[in-house]
Amino acid sequence: MRTLAIANMEVGSVWMRLVRVRGGAPSVFLMKPSAVSSSSKTTRTIRYKNHLSTFFPSSNPPPITFLSPVSPTRRPLSTATCSPQIPLATIEDYCSDAGGGDNINVLPKKGSRVLLKGMSFTELQQWVRSHAFRPGQALMLWKRLYGDDIWAHCTDELEGLNKDFKKMLSEHAEFRALSLKDILTSSDGTRKILFMLDDGLVIETVVIPCNRGRTTVCVSSQVGCAMNCQFCYTGRMGLKRHLTAAEIVEQAVFARRLLSSEVGSITNVVFMGMGEPLHNVENVIKAANIMVHEQGLHFSPRKVTVSTSGLVPQLKQFLNESNCALAVSLNATTDEVRNWIMPINRKYKLGLLIETLREELHFKNNYKVLFEYVMLAGVNDSFDDAKRLIGLVQGIPCKINLISFNPHCGSQFTPTTDEKMIEFRNILAGAGCTVFLRLSRGDDQMAACGQLGNPGAIQAPLLRVPEKFQTAINASI
């Protein structure tokens, strides 16, 4: 078989190698862009015009084969189409990064436009290439979306970018996934930001300044929540829907854009707003990865914390796929109590949750899980609870946050007194646990832990109080 002609052809940013051989049908090979070097253009190079007829005038289009990069300087042209050593690749290989899953044909959309903040950096690069622009333009865009103190919301804020590139963005891309509805300021400086979604639903984000140079943004991952934790106001809403990765990421972008000049640099992200993050695990992992990208928002992975009520399979997935920190909302030391106040425990028992953490953390180096423990008067704050908690966390690299319960109209609990919280803390610390007291922030604007959301007329049910706790509950009513 003898090669008659060969050419490199560019379709958008996708290079094709076209080969015609004597005695055989013409063939087209789709290559990754990196496969085409300047030296390869020593062969006859043409731009894609008038479809394949530019090179193959035949009315029958040639078959297409997908190839991994092949360097023409290493392989004689006469064997480029018939060597059995050339590895075949799928279209998924072309469209995906090394980890897989980023497909330019399945991009986040807002109407007919692509949502920029819903794309990973790899997806953004591929999308930019598909519009015939250099990958370097993708990096410049990424930095203006997330870095350089720009946090761009429109093409007018994209200084330094190619004019034609900006025109393409204005025609095909959408910058914003959220609309600002209101900002409420608490007496302690905490801000609650209300965002309107495209479907009219509202989510809440909280920015918590700290006089130690750390400011935290608390982002939501769902509209409402399906877990129905009995102490949580968001749980009264039930689940309306998951948030997209773009809707999650933009909460952090908006927080920096709106409030950095007032509260200083926002250094930490916690997924502890509305919703159960690991119930929306794919979008949460993707959003967290965007937040920690070193050319973008550049949060430290150890300063991005994702909280869960204890969805065991998704917890495993998160620990395997993300380097961000994990918080587990524990809140009880027995199945009896946890079945009541956190119904997810009926599916994933306390023992299974704890044992899963022990097993999974063996594979993580220098990694500590954060246990959250909301203290409810007469329910989970006894000294026996403190001793059981010590036993539960033994052997698990961890920190413990004791959280003061924040009352709301959808709950029947009351907070543990400050004095008893300190005594509880001292028992844990005396056993060698690393433990902190987390006091309420923003509760006068319903911005504190467990107070977010607006349940409306139809609410998730309150569960039957176990008989042994009825006295404590009745005393709080």
Side-chain angles (χ1 to χ4, degrees), residues 51 89 146 166 169 207 233 259 278 291 300 320 341 415 424 429 438 447 450:
H51 304 287
Y146 301 120
K166 290 167 67 173
L169 291 174
V207 177
Y233 197 49
L259 298 174
L278 296 192
M291 290 177 184
S300 165
N320 287 324
I341 66 174
F424 197 97
R438 198 173 104 194

PDB file of all heavy atoms in Angstrom, residues 51 89 146 166 169 207 233 259 278 291 300 320 341 415 424 429 438 447 450:
ATOM      1  N   HIS A  51     -16.058  21.585   3.726  1.00  0.00           N
ATOM      2  CA  HIS A  51     -16.111  20.220   4.235  1.00  0.00           C
ATOM      3  C   HIS A  51     -14.930  19.405   3.704  1.00  0.00           C
ATOM      4  O   HIS A  51     -13.851  19.928   3.463  1.00  0.00           O
ATOM      5  CB  HIS A  51     -17.445  19.569   3.882  1.00  0.00           C
ATOM      6  CG  HIS A  51     -18.602  20.378   4.384  1.00  0.00           C
ATOM      7  ND1 HIS A  51     -18.938  20.439   5.715  1.00  0.00           N
ATOM      8  CD2 HIS A  51     -19.479  21.185   3.737  1.00  0.00           C
ATOM      9  CE1 HIS A  51     -19.978  21.238   5.871  1.00  0.00           C
ATOM     10  NE2 HIS A  51     -20.324  21.705   4.692  1.00  0.00           N
ATOM     11  N   ALA A  89      -8.172   5.502  20.185  1.00  0.00           N
ATOM     12  CA  ALA A  89      -8.785   6.192  21.317  1.00  0.00           C
ATOM     13  C   ALA A  89     -10.228   6.471  20.976  1.00  0.00           C
ATOM     14  O   ALA A  89     -10.618   6.504  19.813  1.00  0.00           O
ATOM     15  CB  ALA A  89      -8.049   7.497  21.615  1.00  0.00           C
ATOM     16  N   TYR A 146     -12.253  34.316  38.355  1.00  0.00           N
ATOM     17  CA  TYR A 146     -12.023  33.881  39.732  1.00  0.00           C
ATOM     18  C   TYR A 146     -10.853  34.559  40.440  1.00  0.00           C
ATOM     19  O   TYR A 146     -10.780  34.530  41.667  1.00  0.00           O
ATOM     20  CB  TYR A 146     -11.774  32.365  39.755  1.00  0.00           C
ATOM     21  CG  TYR A 146     -12.902  31.550  39.192  1.00  0.00           C
ATOM     22  CD1 TYR A 146     -12.714  30.716  38.102  1.00  0.00           C
ATOM     23  CD2 TYR A 146     -14.175  31.622  39.752  1.00  0.00           C
ATOM     24  CE1 TYR A 146     -13.753  29.948  37.594  1.00  0.00           C
ATOM     25  CE2 TYR A 146     -15.220  30.867  39.241  1.00  0.00           C
ATOM     26  CZ  TYR A 146     -15.003  30.039  38.163  1.00  0.00           C
ATOM     27  OH  TYR A 146     -16.029  29.291  37.661  1.00  0.00           O
ATOM     28  N   LYS A 166     -13.928  38.065  23.131  1.00  0.00           N
ATOM     29  CA  LYS A 166     -14.976  38.693  23.939  1.00  0.00           C
ATOM     30  C   LYS A 166     -16.309  38.697  23.189  1.00  0.00           C
ATOM     31  O   LYS A 166     -17.365  38.501  23.786  1.00  0.00           O
ATOM     32  CB  LYS A 166     -14.558  40.110  24.336  1.00  0.00           C
ATOM     33  CG  LYS A 166     -13.426  40.158  25.346  1.00  0.00           C
ATOM     34  CD  LYS A 166     -12.833  41.545  25.487  1.00  0.00           C
ATOM     35  CE  LYS A 166     -13.791  42.522  26.089  1.00  0.00           C
ATOM     36  NZ  LYS A 166     -13.143  43.837  26.378  1.00  0.00           N
ATOM     37  N   LEU A 169     -17.788  35.302  23.473  1.00  0.00           N
ATOM     38  CA  LEU A 169     -18.345  35.096  24.807  1.00  0.00           C
ATOM     39  C   LEU A 169     -19.699  35.781  24.948  1.00  0.00           C
ATOM     40  O   LEU A 169     -20.627  35.224  25.548  1.00  0.00           O
ATOM     41  CB  LEU A 169     -17.373  35.626  25.864  1.00  0.00           C
ATOM     42  CG  LEU A 169     -16.059  34.867  26.042  1.00  0.00           C
ATOM     43  CD1 LEU A 169     -15.144  35.595  27.018  1.00  0.00           C
ATOM     44  CD2 LEU A 169     -16.315  33.442  26.528  1.00  0.00           C
ATOM     45  N   VAL A 207     -21.738  35.101  55.263  1.00  0.00           N
ATOM     46  CA  VAL A 207     -20.337  35.501  55.376  1.00  0.00           C
ATOM     47  C   VAL A 207     -20.069  35.870  56.831  1.00  0.00           C
ATOM     48  O   VAL A 207     -20.743  36.733  57.395  1.00  0.00           O
ATOM     49  CB  VAL A 207     -20.009  36.673  54.438  1.00  0.00           C
ATOM     50  CG1 VAL A 207     -18.556  37.135  54.634  1.00  0.00           C
ATOM     51  CG2 VAL A 207     -20.245  36.272  52.987  1.00  0.00           C
ATOM     52  N   TYR A 233     -33.740  24.311  60.677  1.00  0.00           N
ATOM     53  CA  TYR A 233     -34.831  25.035  60.032  1.00  0.00           C
ATOM     54  C   TYR A 233     -34.915  24.700  58.545  1.00  0.00           C
ATOM     55  O   TYR A 233     -36.006  24.579  57.987  1.00  0.00           O
ATOM     56  CB  TYR A 233     -34.613  26.540  60.223  1.00  0.00           C
ATOM     57  CG  TYR A 233     -35.833  27.402  59.973  1.00  0.00           C
ATOM     58  CD1 TYR A 233     -37.067  27.087  60.549  1.00  0.00           C
ATOM     59  CD2 TYR A 233     -35.746  28.550  59.195  1.00  0.00           C
ATOM     60  CE1 TYR A 233     -38.182  27.888  60.335  1.00  0.00           C
ATOM     61  CE2 TYR A 233     -36.847  29.365  58.982  1.00  0.00           C
ATOM     62  CZ  TYR A 233     -38.059  29.026  59.553  1.00  0.00           C
ATOM     63  OH  TYR A 233     -39.160  29.828  59.346  1.00  0.00           O
ATOM     64  N   LEU A 259     -18.122  41.714  49.277  1.00  0.00           N
ATOM     65  CA  LEU A 259     -17.805  42.011  50.679  1.00  0.00           C
ATOM     66  C   LEU A 259     -16.323  42.048  51.030  1.00  0.00           C
ATOM     67  O   LEU A 259     -15.989  42.385  52.162  1.00  0.00           O
ATOM     68  CB  LEU A 259     -18.511  40.982  51.578  1.00  0.00           C
ATOM     69  CG  LEU A 259     -20.043  40.980  51.508  1.00  0.00           C
ATOM     70  CD1 LEU A 259     -20.615  39.830  52.318  1.00  0.00           C
ATOM     71  CD2 LEU A 259     -20.604  42.309  52.007  1.00  0.00           C
ATOM     72  N   LEU A 278     -23.531  16.134  50.458  1.00  0.00           N
ATOM     73  CA  LEU A 278     -23.209  14.863  49.817  1.00  0.00           C
ATOM     74  C   LEU A 278     -24.426  14.198  49.176  1.00  0.00           C
ATOM     75  O   LEU A 278     -24.284  13.201  48.470  1.00  0.00           O
ATOM     76  CB  LEU A 278     -22.531  13.908  50.806  1.00  0.00           C
ATOM     77  CG  LEU A 278     -21.165  14.377  51.316  1.00  0.00           C
ATOM     78  CD1 LEU A 278     -20.447  13.256  52.048  1.00  0.00           C
ATOM     79  CD2 LEU A 278     -20.286  14.918  50.190  1.00  0.00           C
ATOM     80  N   MET A 291     -13.141  25.824  43.288  1.00  0.00           N
ATOM     81  CA  MET A 291     -12.756  26.780  44.328  1.00  0.00           C
ATOM     82  C   MET A 291     -11.279  26.694  44.707  1.00  0.00           C
ATOM     83  O   MET A 291     -10.670  27.694  45.074  1.00  0.00           O
ATOM     84  CB  MET A 291     -13.614  26.561  45.576  1.00  0.00           C
ATOM     85  CG  MET A 291     -15.063  26.963  45.420  1.00  0.00           C
ATOM     86  SD  MET A 291     -16.005  26.568  46.915  1.00  0.00           S
ATOM     87  CE  MET A 291     -17.662  27.022  46.410  1.00  0.00           C
ATOM     88  N   SER A 300      -7.303  27.205  49.883  1.00  0.00           N
ATOM     89  CA  SER A 300      -6.571  26.006  50.283  1.00  0.00           C
ATOM     90  C   SER A 300      -7.555  24.854  50.455  1.00  0.00           C
ATOM     91  O   SER A 300      -8.625  25.037  51.046  1.00  0.00           O
ATOM     92  CB  SER A 300      -5.836  26.253  51.602  1.00  0.00           C
ATOM     93  OG  SER A 300      -5.419  25.030  52.178  1.00  0.00           O
ATOM     94  N   ASN A 320     -12.417   9.796  48.517  1.00  0.00           N
ATOM     95  CA  ASN A 320     -11.580   9.243  47.449  1.00  0.00           C
ATOM     96  C   ASN A 320     -11.314  10.237  46.329  1.00  0.00           C
ATOM     97  O   ASN A 320     -10.289  10.157  45.654  1.00  0.00           O
ATOM     98  CB  ASN A 320     -12.224   7.984  46.863  1.00  0.00           C
ATOM     99  CG  ASN A 320     -12.139   6.794  47.802  1.00  0.00           C
ATOM    100  OD1 ASN A 320     -11.153   6.637  48.514  1.00  0.00           O
ATOM    101  ND2 ASN A 320     -13.169   5.962  47.816  1.00  0.00           N
ATOM    102  N   ILE A 341     -33.427  12.504  65.974  1.00  0.00           N
ATOM    103  CA  ILE A 341     -33.089  13.872  65.579  1.00  0.00           C
ATOM    104  C   ILE A 341     -32.442  13.941  64.191  1.00  0.00           C
ATOM    105  O   ILE A 341     -32.435  15.008  63.567  1.00  0.00           O
ATOM    106  CB  ILE A 341     -32.187  14.558  66.629  1.00  0.00           C
ATOM    107  CG1 ILE A 341     -30.813  13.889  66.707  1.00  0.00           C
ATOM    108  CG2 ILE A 341     -32.863  14.589  67.979  1.00  0.00           C
ATOM    109  CD1 ILE A 341     -29.833  14.631  67.623  1.00  0.00           C
ATOM    110  N   PRO A 415     -31.404  25.393  73.689  1.00  0.00           N
ATOM    111  CA  PRO A 415     -29.949  25.241  73.738  1.00  0.00           C
ATOM    112  C   PRO A 415     -29.449  24.838  75.123  1.00  0.00           C
ATOM    113  O   PRO A 415     -30.043  25.203  76.141  1.00  0.00           O
ATOM    114  CB  PRO A 415     -29.437  26.629  73.349  1.00  0.00           C
ATOM    115  CG  PRO A 415     -30.557  27.564  73.645  1.00  0.00           C
ATOM    116  CD  PRO A 415     -31.816  26.789  73.481  1.00  0.00           C
ATOM    117  N   PHE A 424     -19.010  19.995  79.494  1.00  0.00           N
ATOM    118  CA  PHE A 424     -18.971  18.946  78.475  1.00  0.00           C
ATOM    119  C   PHE A 424     -17.634  19.013  77.732  1.00  0.00           C
ATOM    120  O   PHE A 424     -16.974  17.990  77.498  1.00  0.00           O
ATOM    121  CB  PHE A 424     -20.149  19.160  77.506  1.00  0.00           C
ATOM    122  CG  PHE A 424     -20.506  17.987  76.643  1.00  0.00           C
ATOM    123  CD1 PHE A 424     -21.531  17.126  76.991  1.00  0.00           C
ATOM    124  CD2 PHE A 424     -19.831  17.748  75.446  1.00  0.00           C
ATOM    125  CE1 PHE A 424     -21.889  16.051  76.181  1.00  0.00           C
ATOM    126  CE2 PHE A 424     -20.171  16.684  74.626  1.00  0.00           C
ATOM    127  CZ  PHE A 424     -21.204  15.832  74.989  1.00  0.00           C
ATOM    128  N   ALA A 429     -11.856  17.340  76.550  1.00  0.00           N
ATOM    129  CA  ALA A 429     -10.465  17.786  76.529  1.00  0.00           C
ATOM    130  C   ALA A 429      -9.624  16.982  77.512  1.00  0.00           C
ATOM    131  O   ALA A 429      -8.456  16.665  77.228  1.00  0.00           O
ATOM    132  CB  ALA A 429     -10.391  19.275  76.857  1.00  0.00           C
ATOM    133  N   ARG A 438     -18.241  26.484  69.636  1.00  0.00           N
ATOM    134  CA  ARG A 438     -18.620  27.386  68.559  1.00  0.00           C
ATOM    135  C   ARG A 438     -19.912  28.091  68.947  1.00  0.00           C
ATOM    136  O   ARG A 438     -20.991  27.486  68.976  1.00  0.00           O
ATOM    137  CB  ARG A 438     -18.813  26.608  67.246  1.00  0.00           C
ATOM    138  CG  ARG A 438     -18.764  27.520  66.033  1.00  0.00           C
ATOM    139  CD  ARG A 438     -18.783  26.717  64.763  1.00  0.00           C
ATOM    140  NE  ARG A 438     -20.107  26.774  64.121  1.00  0.00           N
ATOM    141  CZ  ARG A 438     -20.486  25.964  63.147  1.00  0.00           C
ATOM    142  NH1 ARG A 438     -19.679  25.015  62.724  1.00  0.00           N
ATOM    143  NH2 ARG A 438     -21.680  26.082  62.618  1.00  0.00           N
ATOM    144  N   ALA A 447     -29.305  33.918  60.580  1.00  0.00           N
ATOM    145  CA  ALA A 447     -28.157  33.565  59.744  1.00  0.00           C
ATOM    146  C   ALA A 447     -27.246  32.565  60.437  1.00  0.00           C
ATOM    147  O   ALA A 447     -26.200  32.210  59.895  1.00  0.00           O
ATOM    148  CB  ALA A 447     -27.358  34.823  59.390  1.00  0.00           C
ATOM    149  N   GLY A 450     -28.136  26.272  61.316  1.00  0.00           N
ATOM    150  CA  GLY A 450     -29.442  25.630  61.467  1.00  0.00           C
ATOM    151  C   GLY A 450     -30.633  26.545  61.302  1.00  0.00           C
ATOM    152  O   GLY A 450     -31.771  26.115  61.492  1.00  0.00           O
TER     153      GLY A 450
END
